[in-house]
Amino acid sequence: RDPHLHQAIRSKTRHPVNGATHYPRFARPSSYRLSDPDGNDPTSTELDDKRREFWDTQPSYGGSAEMWAALKMAAETMLQPHGDLALCHAVIESADVIVAEPDMTVCYDTMGARYDIPKWVLRNPSNVRFKAPRSGAQLDHERVDASSPGPTPAPRGYALDDDAGSDAGSDKGSSVLSAVSDLEGDVANGEWETNERGRDRRSSVFVE
């Protein structure tokens, strides 16, 4: 078992804003594989193209633009093999994101909007081919309505399998984006502190 994901699961708590189930020390998804019906593995170029498409289109399906921006920054940092998870945690906390799954694949804002992040946006599959795709090869995926619950599918035509089995808007507006630009320096200098803004909004949607 991935020790970081195990630690993420153990961090389960209640979000300070509305008491929803929250994993503040989320980690990268567990190792998994993608393959199409013919057994072909996805290429890094195909996955990069689909990630760009995902971030370009998802905000139009609902949720806060500022939330999507914070999720994108955290996800792109997490995608790097040696990405700074402390920075990811700080970005997510700054935006009051409620992380409903320990691998950040399902999130909510404090107003109740749902944000589904596919595994392939957060981590490369173990069988990714790091070379240009064959001529004419395409990797498509189904668009996910961020406002409706339900698991996020693998890219169309590809089956997603875990390598090791199954493991377990915000109203700040542009302030989230400006706060994000300061977080990298704060985290690097060990100066980040826990968010204690103490808002009084309440929601019972996510409480177990």
Side-chain angles (χ1 to χ4, degrees):
R1 173 179 294 206
D2 185 335
H4 294 291
L5 192 57
H6 180 64
Q7 182 180 14
I9 294 171
R10 295 189 58 173
S11 76
K12 181 179 178 180
T13 186
R14 299 290 182 178
H15 195 273
V17 172
N18 61 8
T21 296
H22 176 53
Y23 295 89
R25 295 295 176 262
F26 57 88
R28 294 174 180 84
S30 57
S31 181
Y32 68 98
R33 295 173 61 86
L34 282 175
S35 59
D36 67 14
D38 296 325
N40 296 319
D41 298 333
T43 68
S44 56
T45 301
E46 290 172 324
L47 289 170
D48 286 343
D49 288 344
K50 299 320 296 180
R51 289 177 185 126
R52 280 192 292 270
E53 181 181 345
F54 175 84
W55 293 119
D56 287 346
T57 59
Q58 287 307 295
S60 66
Y61 293 110
S64 161
E66 288 74 24
M67 285 283 292
W68 280 114
L71 289 170
K72 180 180 180 181
M73 181 177 182
E76 290 183 342
T77 300
M78 187 185 297
L79 183 62
Q80 304 306 313
H82 303 290
D84 188 349
L85 281 177
L87 174 60
C88 297
H89 298 157
V91 169
I92 292 303
E93 181 162 354
S94 173
D96 274 342
V97 177
I98 299 165
V99 183
E101 293 292 340
D103 58 4
M104 211 183 89
T105 51
V106 179
C107 299
Y108 293 91
D109 62 29
T110 55
M111 301 302 292
R114 176 169 172 150
Y115 303 76
D116 289 291
I117 313 295
K119 276 189 175 184
W120 46 269
V121 170
L122 301 168
R123 178 174 182 166
N124 277 319
S126 60
N127 59 327
V128 63
R129 292 183 290 127
F130 289 96
K131 63 180 182 180
R134 297 185 303 275
S135 176
Q138 292 182 340
L139 174 65
D140 201 359
H141 80 294
E142 300 199 9
R143 293 177 177 176
V144 178
D145 186 341
S147 65
S148 62
T152 302
R156 183 180 301 151
Y158 280 76
L160 187 153
D161 295 306
D162 289 335
D163 280 349
S166 299
D167 287 319
S170 173
D171 63 350
K172 287 197 289 292
S174 61
S175 63
V176 171
L177 297 178
S178 61
V180 164
S181 65
D182 297 328
L183 285 170
E184 294 191 30
D186 291 344
V187 172
N189 295 325
E191 298 173 356
W192 170 68
E193 297 180 358
T194 302
N195 176 6
E196 296 180 349
R197 282 190 289 276
R199 297 184 183 178
D200 60 2
R201 285 200 302 270
R202 294 292 184 272
S203 171
S204 61
V205 176
F206 319 110
V207 178
E208 291 184 340

